[in-house]
Amino acid sequence: MEPPAGKTPRSLPVLVGALAASWLLPAALIATGLGILVLPLLVVAVASLMRVGGVLLDRLFAAALTVAGGVLVLGLAFSLWPWGLAPIPTSGALLTVVTLTGWLSRRAPRLPLRFRPSDLLVLGTTYVLWHYLHKPLVGKGKGWRLEFLTTAEDRLNHFSYFVGIEHVGGYNFLHQEAAKAYMMSPAEAVYPQGSHFLLAWVDSLVRSSSDLGSTLDTMNRYLIYILVAYALLGTALVWAARWIGGPRLRGWRTAAVCGTVAALMFSSNYTDLVTHGFDSTIIGLLMVAVLVAFLVRPAMRTPEFLLIAGLGLITVTYVYNLFGAVAGIAVVATLVAHRRRFRRKAWLLYGLAGVVALGLAGLPSVVSVLSKLDVASTSNLGGPSVGADRTILVGGLLLALLAAAAPTNRRTGTGQAHLALVLGSGLVIAGFAWWQMRTIGHVSYYFEKLAGTGVVIALVSLGAVGPLLRTTSPARVGVLQRRAGDAVLSVLSVATALSLFAGVQWGMESFKAAPTAWYNNSLMAWSRGESWSDIGPRNGATVMEDLDGISGPMMVLYSNDDYKNLKSTWIATLLRNRGGDMLPLYETHWVNIGAAERPAAEYEAALAHVKKAAEKLGEPMTVVVADPATGDRMRKDLAGSTPRITVVAKPGNNWVHSWHRSFPGD
């Protein structure tokens, strides 16, 4: 029997060979220490079976989102089987799924080896962001790099979730009792773990092993992963704007759109997401950008659309479940606007696929709600936040609304899906702001997080604005002349965007030699090393991997600033794989002694929290202080405490020297 048109015949020998290669190839790469090459291999393999977009870069974005969703879904099985996140079994299983999908669908591997000039702008965004993000780390050893890892309390939390997944071999919420040793409970059950799971799986490929190695090395790798994720966020925004523009976005208009999005990303305050340790937010916004682009303009076959919509929704909700509301709106908007493309006879199949996707997407959130998560009170939590740029959020969404409502766009399915997305997401963000104003009188932490999805939608929506910039060429202009003219206009467009929106002055000083706007943005501040941690080695107030052989719970008091003491204590617990100690040791947040003598009242209040931490731990604890006099005083006052509290004085000057002895070559 002949296969359907456009399909290849099924061959059992080919299937057997492909299945064997699915295991032998990753096994060979991992055995030779090249496990990280499994990741591009997997993405290219998926891309070769998809029929999305006309250029290679478009196909790779679709494949990357699909792979991320596939890893998170199969991660449920990885969490329960005996091999955990071991790289060979997980890689073999993923490639097996790809092989079986290709064989069952009768699709021959095929990649569109076509490129667009604007690919250089997309990839150039990656280069620029990575250059400035990685710059302060150049030439620094592992110990010194910790000053950029420990910039915020949130990152210490995220690292504990990440390393917990690596230790328990799967999702923390599926190994709750074991995971409690590595993080502050009830985070193992209530916090979304998709980003940490993805990074943990990638880390197993980087190491080509299930052995974690030293915690210090792991921390350095984790920091690099976060910087890469932020660079990819900027890349995804530029690409997504171009994708939404579609076939009508050509020539210098493409350069104008891509250049503007890149410039806004360079100058944005969102580099502060890195500084504040909002790691899941970064990866969540990255996934929202890619998913929204494919949903607004689903230029693909129905199977690809169902796969990307389902796995994309799962990915977003697993990474940051708050963003699932916007992702869900995008899916519904696309289903309604493009309803004519779906065969009525297959509605039962589509409905079944939707139920499965929704069930999988909601699973971690259901576990959170059924455990200890109070949704109402958590939604109103305060804390340090990175405010969504109101100019981009409000002005960008209004511009997106204008573009979507333009006559040339609103008559198309893409325009209608875009209009529904902008209106729906705007209502969700505004509704959340209204609810917070009504309940607590102001917008807080999680509003700014949700508003970040509005910023993403505003930026990628610039792609819909580009085609409205009408352009005509003289009829008798030659091809070479027209292309040369378009190249000149493209360069001018990008240069203009960088000047207007990123503050680049091309060597010219601002008025009265004041620093340019480019110099003052948060990306440049990070690149100059200004975002280092106040517990880093510059002040000597950090923690060695193994402090004097202490193996039990440890409170580190190297400052009279309670928050610095909290972070120093936290890094100590993480370096010794005892993150679970931080639940009782969070009392350090109110301990503002350790570096110098304090007045009696403040000292007594702080000492009460030290005792309270020991009582909560229920086991002997060591307190390390920087000031010998404070150490003697605490040792006397804590004598006879139950549980026992041992006080060790480690003066700051000696601490700096011991840091360098611990990390030779730094």
Side-chain angles (χ1 to χ4, degrees):
M1 180 178 178
E2 292 295 324
K7 302 287 186 178
T8 57
R10 294 191 182 119
S11 168
L12 285 177
V14 169
L15 175 63
V16 172
L19 288 174
S22 298
W23 287 87
L24 294 176
L25 187 54
L29 290 172
I30 291 166
T32 55
L34 299 174
I36 188 56
L37 296 182
V38 173
L39 184 57
L41 171 66
L42 185 59
V43 171
V44 170
V46 172
S48 70
L49 297 179
M50 303 185 83
R51 302 297 182 256
V52 178
V55 297
L56 180 61
L57 195 58
D58 297 341
R59 187 75 62 83
L60 292 178
F61 267 100
L65 181 61
T66 302
V67 168
V71 170
L72 292 176
V73 171
L74 288 180
L76 297 169
F78 298 160
S79 300
L80 301 177
W81 72 5
W83 304 286
L85 295 185
I88 292 178
T90 55
S91 300
L94 287 162
L95 285 168
T96 296
V97 172
V98 176
T99 297
L100 290 174
T101 301
W103 188 77
L104 292 172
S105 64
R106 296 183 178 181
R107 286 191 180 180
R110 188 173 72 219
L111 285 172
L113 299 179
R114 294 179 55 221
F115 307 91
R116 292 179 61 180
S118 54
D119 286 352
L120 295 175
L121 291 174
V122 178
L123 299 177
T125 302
T126 313
Y127 170 78
V128 172
L129 286 171
W130 174 251
H131 170 75
Y132 288 112
L133 289 167
H134 188 252
K135 185 177 178 181
L137 305 183
V138 175
K140 289 185 173 63
K142 298 173 185 177
W144 283 91
R145 286 187 177 197
L146 285 190
E147 65 183 22
F148 294 97
L149 175 88
T150 57
T151 51
E153 174 188 349
D154 276 56
R155 174 153 301 122
L156 302 178
N157 259 321
H158 288 300
F159 180 78
S160 72
Y161 309 153
F162 161 81
V163 79
I165 287 171
E166 299 215 60
H167 278 291
V168 304
Y171 286 111
N172 293 314
F173 71 86
L174 294 178
H175 298 275
Q176 293 184 25
E177 286 304 314
K180 287 178 181 178
Y182 305 102
M183 66 200 67
M184 287 201 299
S185 190
E188 74 283 349
V190 303
Y191 198 88
Q193 300 160 20
S195 61
H196 315 99
F197 191 94
L198 287 172
L199 295 182
W201 177 71
V202 169
D203 190 50
S204 73
L205 297 179
V206 170
R207 290 177 285 106
S208 294
S209 170
S210 56
D211 179 15
L212 277 171
S214 77
T215 308
L216 180 65
D217 288 338
T218 304
M219 286 181 168
N220 275 264
R221 293 194 306 270
Y222 181 79
L223 176 60
I224 294 298
Y225 300 153
I226 296 305
L227 299 184
V228 169
Y230 189 77
L232 290 178
L233 170 59
T235 305
L237 289 169
V238 175
W239 168 83
R242 188 186 76 173
W243 172 267
I244 287 178
R248 293 183 299 151
L249 185 63
R250 285 287 183 267
W252 68 268
R253 295 178 297 170
T254 308
V257 167
C258 293
T260 298
V261 175
L264 289 170
M265 189 62 186
F266 296 155
S267 62
S268 167
N269 66 326
Y270 267 17
T271 306
D272 290 340
L273 293 173
V274 178
T275 306
H276 282 69
F278 295 160
D279 303 345
S280 289
T281 302
I282 293 170
I283 299 175
L285 293 177
L286 164 62
M287 299 304 176
V288 168
V290 179
L291 176 61
V292 162
F294 281 124
L295 292 178
V296 168
R297 192 173 78 85
M300 62 193 80
R301 299 179 181 181
T302 301
E304 277 85 354
F305 169 76
L306 294 175
L307 189 68
I308 288 176
L311 289 179
L313 180 63
I314 290 169
T315 302
V316 170
T317 53
Y318 275 45
V319 170
Y320 210 81
N321 48 16
L322 180 64
F323 297 164
V326 172
I329 287 172
V331 171
V332 172
T334 301
L335 289 174
V336 173
H338 296 277
R339 60 190 178 279
R340 294 184 182 86
R341 66 179 296 171
F342 301 108
R343 293 180 292 115
R344 292 185 178 180
K345 294 182 180 179
W347 277 112
L348 182 60
L349 178 62
Y350 300 150
L352 180 61
V355 169
V356 172
L358 286 174
L360 289 171
L363 177 61
S365 298
V366 170
V367 172
S368 298
V369 173
L370 294 179
S371 56
K372 299 179 181 179
L373 180 66
D374 184 337
V375 177
S377 62
T378 301
S379 299
N380 284 331
L381 285 177
S385 58
V386 179
D389 189 307
R390 295 325 194 237
T391 300
I392 299 177
L393 177 64
V394 179
L397 287 178
L398 288 174
L399 184 60
L401 186 61
L402 176 65
T408 54
N409 286 334
R410 70 170 181 262
R411 289 192 292 265
T412 67
T414 294
Q416 292 167 9
H418 188 203
L419 181 62
L421 171 65
V422 173
L423 290 174
S425 59
L427 286 174
V428 167
I429 295 170
F432 191 65
W434 172 85
W435 183 74
Q436 286 199 327
M437 291 293 293
R438 185 170 179 270
T439 53
I440 59 177
H442 58 88
V443 295
S444 65
Y445 182 82
Y446 281 111
F447 168 78
E448 300 298 347
K449 294 292 187 80
L450 183 62
T453 61
V455 172
V456 166
I457 292 170
L459 289 175
V460 302
S461 293
L462 290 175
V465 178
L468 300 180
L469 303 174
R470 296 292 182 181
T471 180
T472 57
S473 301
R476 296 183 180 181
V477 174
V479 174
L480 290 178
Q481 185 178 352
R482 185 171 67 250
R483 289 182 177 177
D486 197 64
V488 171
L489 290 175
S490 296
V491 171
L492 288 174
S493 298
V494 174
T496 301
L498 290 173
S499 293
L500 287 175
F501 304 114
V504 176
Q505 298 301 308
W506 310 108
M508 297 179 64
E509 292 291 340
S510 295
F511 183 64
K512 293 184 178 180
T516 64
W518 172 258
Y519 180 88
N520 286 328
N521 69 44
S522 59
L523 177 62
M524 293 302 102
W526 172 275
S527 74
R528 292 191 297 270
E530 295 176 6
S531 300
W532 59 277
S533 170
D534 53 10
I535 67 166
R538 294 185 184 184
N539 289 335
T542 189
V543 182
M544 289 170 22
E545 185 173 11
D546 181 13
L547 177 60
D548 297 333
I550 300 172
S551 58
M554 179 169 61
M555 180 181 288
V556 181
L557 308 177
Y558 283 149
S559 171
N560 283 353
D561 182 311
D562 50 10
Y563 189 57
K564 291 180 183 179
N565 285 338
L566 174 70
K567 290 193 290 184
S568 294
T569 300
W570 209 327
I571 195 71
T573 65
L574 294 176
L575 281 168
R576 295 176 305 118
N577 292 318
R578 296 184 61 99
D581 289 347
M582 281 309 300
L583 185 60
L585 286 177
Y586 207 82
E587 292 293 325
T588 314
H589 202 351
W590 296 275
V591 180
N592 58 348
I593 57 176
E597 287 286 347
R598 297 302 297 262
E602 295 183 14
Y603 171 82
E604 291 297 336
L607 196 67
H609 286 286
V610 174
K611 294 178 180 178
K612 190 173 181 181
E615 291 170 1
K616 287 183 176 180
L617 281 165
E619 60 179 300
M621 176 180 78
T622 300
V623 177
V624 186
V625 299
D627 178 47
T630 301
D632 291 339
R633 184 178 181 183
M634 292 182 67
R635 196 175 295 112
K636 177 182 177 181
D637 294 339
L638 293 172
S641 296
T642 304
R644 185 179 71 256
I645 301 175
T646 303
V647 180
V648 177
K650 187 85 172 176
N653 290 334
N654 293 335
W655 184 250
V656 177
H657 298 315
S658 66
W659 173 273
H660 289 292
R661 287 199 304 271
S662 299
F663 305 115
D666 284 7

